[in-house]
Amino acid sequence: LVWLLVLSLAWLSPALGGEDKDEEVLEEEKKEKKEDGVLSDEIKEEDNVLVLHEHNFARALSEHQLLLVEFYAPWCGHCQRLAPAFAQAATELRNESSPARLAKVDAMAQTALAAEFGITSYPTLKLFRDGNRTHPLEYTGDMDSRGIVRWMQRRAGPSATLLQDTDTTAAFISSQDLVVIGFFKDLRGEAAQAFFEVAAEMVDVTFGVAEAAELFQVYGLSADTVCLFKKFDERQTNFPVDPARGLDTAELTRLLRAHSLQLVMEFTKETSNQIFGAKIPHHMLLFLNKSSPEQLSLQDGFRAAAGAFRGEVLFVVVDVTGHGADVLPFFGMTDADAPTLRLVRMENNHKYQMEQDNFSDSAIRAFIQAVLDGKVKPHLLSQEPPEDWNTRPVKVLVGKTFEQVAFDETKNVFVKFYAPWCPHCQAMAAAWEELAQRYKDREDIVIAEMDCTANELENITIHGYPTLHYFPAGPGRKMVEYKSTRDVETFSKFLENGGTLPEEPPVSEVRGRPPCSGLSPAPAGQGDGSCRM
């Protein structure tokens, strides 16, 4: 009503000879704008999370030494799932009087801030330190309250504990199942600073640092060295600092992750994040039924083979009647297939299988080496093609039929690679069906789909769902990835233009919906509105 009054006065003012708006009306306008947060730099809170916008962002940076900001979209399901954990973390940090605070920005409403910080997917978290607005740090921790709190705590305080004598150091080592200590002659040197960077990132590991000469002597060291102390497997593993190259943070992180794991891991709910987070390029899996004493005995040869491949191949025991039952479909297996072995190349999810399972340590070592040397072809899953696969508007492809359909030189083939459980795939299913209906009478265009959870391809790796690829007619094995909006009209424009789209502004600017970042049932990653593998 207030705004109707304001507009009425504005329209009538010239007719009535009025020169300016009534003072009371002006005050009302100012009040309305202030309530909308347009003019005020006041910082409000929701569940201990600061609510930021264009006009209070600078104030928040100036008032808080460490500020972790979540850029979110109200419609994003991943953001909605993160919200309770984010609020819980904010409360925990505030209760412990930490200098670290959490904040959020509705990037759909605050487009200037989203553009300034290059927000292209949701949720995106950035850490602002000491008011620095130009170089925020990307959040690299786990997307749960515990992970957020630990990540922020590590940045709020010293990333490593200073150890100054033998008693303190011995107590520090025995306090955890696993600790890392950096021994440096100069704690202000480049190697030590690189070590502190690693400690700040690896928030799930306890770090110490020492420079006392007596500690070098006690632990058998003569030069700068990072030592990993464990209560299992090797008790002390040393990583000497190369005097010429210095300490490479990425390499040290990789070594610590690899050697922090047990030589042979059991796949459980508690260890799954460690296993996938270690970034070891190959996983050797022993599938067995733990209720069978005969199958349990196979672990001896499996463990004996593991030491030779530490850091290159992670050995994992999977109980097919326990937590491991959930991963059996990924391998096209059932519990009746145990005991059996599989090797997985993590970069492309290719799986390798012995021609005949042999569980001796020598046979396992020989098989792994053959795979690493490129002498074994991957074992690819494929369903049988449905009888009516070619009569439906959407053609159903499987591993066995993919090549002959996708690379048919007389057809332009548009393929959706999907997973049945993926919500993004489910959301676009109707549009894909409508597209197929539109082109069902076109001899030169094929609209197809393939279930990637049950079918695999040797030369095409799918990293997220859905992934759309266009295979144009003609000679050669050409493939174009479709990356634009997932609606029927844009699909059609793409097809009619021979697998290209005219130059347009970015999708986020045109249609206002940048992608979610893909926090999914599978290991998470930044993305394009896709579920990640």
Side-chain angles (χ1 to χ4, degrees), residues 25 45 56 74 78 140 151 169 175 180 214 235 243 246 276 331 360 382 439 465-466 482 494 526:
V25 174
E45 296 187 19
N56 65 9
H78 305 305
T140 56
W151 196 84
T169 305
S175 67
V180 177
E214 66 169 330
R235 298 295 168 156
F276 291 117
F331 294 90
S360 70
S382 178
Y439 287 94
Y465 305 127
Y482 177 89
F494 178 79
Q526 296 295 311

Side-chain angles (χ1 to χ4, degrees), residues 2 27 39 55 99 116 136 206 215 232 274 317 331 413 470 488:
V2 170
E27 283 300 315
L39 298 177
H55 296 280
E116 178 181 354
T206 302
L215 294 178
F232 54 88
Q274 287 179 281
V317 173
F331 294 90
V413 185
Y470 176 76
V488 177

Side-chain angles (χ1 to χ4, degrees), residues 408-425:
D408 183 339
E409 295 185 5
T410 67
K411 310 285 187 185
N412 297 290
V413 185
F414 201 10
V415 183
K416 175 182 72 174
F417 298 89
Y418 75 99
W421 49 259
C422 167
H424 302 292
C425 303

Side-chain angles (χ1 to χ4, degrees), residues 71-72 107 113-126 508 514:
F71 294 87
Y72 72 96
L113 289 176
E116 178 181 354
F117 299 112
I119 306 305
T120 58
S121 62
Y122 300 134
T124 293
L125 278 63
K126 292 180 180 287
S508 58

Side-chain angles (χ1 to χ4, degrees), residues 27-273:
E27 283 300 315
E28 198 64 47
E29 285 186 28
K30 289 180 181 179
K31 182 180 178 183
E32 290 287 339
K33 288 182 180 179
K34 192 168 184 179
E35 287 176 356
D36 288 341
V38 173
L39 298 177
S40 174
D41 69 347
E42 178 187 358
I43 300 175
K44 296 181 179 180
E45 296 187 19
E46 293 178 1
D47 298 324
N48 293 309
V49 177
L50 309 182
V51 180
L52 304 185
H53 50 72
E54 184 179 353
H55 296 280
N56 65 9
F57 197 87
R59 176 180 171 181
L61 293 186
S62 68
E63 292 182 354
H64 300 287
Q65 178 186 357
L66 290 170
L67 190 64
L68 181 66
V69 181
E70 176 202 0
F71 294 87
Y72 72 96
W75 49 261
C76 169
H78 305 305
C79 303
Q80 294 162 11
R81 286 189 286 276
L82 176 63
F86 199 70
Q88 183 181 338
T91 301
E92 289 183 30
L93 289 169
R94 188 163 193 181
N95 288 344
E96 65 184 35
S97 300
S98 170
R101 292 297 306 272
L102 304 190
K104 62 182 179 181
V105 171
D106 178 351
M108 298 302 294
Q110 302 301 320
T111 54
L113 289 176
E116 178 181 354
F117 299 112
I119 306 305
T120 58
S121 62
Y122 300 134
T124 293
L125 278 63
K126 292 180 180 287
L127 176 68
F128 296 83
R129 183 188 289 273
D130 299 323
N132 187 323
R133 186 166 181 150
T134 58
H135 294 89
L137 182 68
E138 294 292 335
Y139 178 79
T140 56
D142 292 336
M143 288 293 197
D144 57 38
S145 60
R146 185 167 179 263
I148 294 169
V149 169
R150 292 175 72 169
W151 196 84
M152 293 298 285
Q153 286 173 334
R154 190 61 64 90
R155 279 152 183 78
S159 59
T161 302
L162 179 61
L163 305 171
Q164 297 179 305
D165 56 62
T166 55
D167 290 343
T168 304
T169 305
F172 182 81
I173 292 171
S174 63
S175 67
Q176 307 279 340
D177 287 343
L178 181 150
V179 299
V180 177
I181 301 178
F183 294 85
F184 300 99
K185 299 292 181 67
D186 179 8
L187 293 184
R188 290 166 296 280
E190 290 184 7
Q193 295 308 307
F195 176 79
F196 290 132
E197 287 182 32
V198 172
E201 286 296 327
M202 295 183 65
V203 298
D204 55 329
V205 177
T206 302
F207 283 77
V209 67
E211 65 176 344
E214 66 169 330
L215 294 178
F216 276 78
Q217 185 176 356
V218 168
Y219 293 98
L221 307 172
S222 59
D224 288 358
T225 305
V226 176
C227 297
L228 176 64
F229 296 92
K230 298 181 292 189
K231 293 182 179 178
F232 54 88
D233 298 336
E234 314 93 340
R235 298 295 168 156
Q236 178 178 339
T237 305
N238 297 339
F239 305 105
V241 176
D242 187 311
R245 293 174 54 244
L247 192 62
D248 182 271
T249 56
E251 178 64 9
L252 179 60
T253 301
R254 187 190 70 79
L255 289 170
L256 292 177
R257 286 292 182 203
H259 288 264
S260 293
L261 300 176
Q262 295 181 21
L263 187 61
V264 177
M265 300 285 291
E266 181 177 353
F267 182 70
T268 66
K269 183 178 180 180
E270 292 71 30
T271 64
S272 60
N273 283 340

Side-chain angles (χ1 to χ4, degrees), residues 422-456:
C422 167
H424 302 292
C425 303
Q426 295 162 9
M428 71 164 284
W432 200 246
E433 188 69 31
E434 184 180 341
L435 181 72
Q437 288 285 353
R438 182 175 294 191
Y439 287 94
K440 65 181 181 180
D441 296 325
R442 284 281 295 269
E443 291 292 328
D444 61 327
I445 292 179
V446 175
I447 308 300
E449 65 182 11
M450 191 176 86
D451 177 358
C452 289
T453 65
N455 300 278
E456 296 171 325

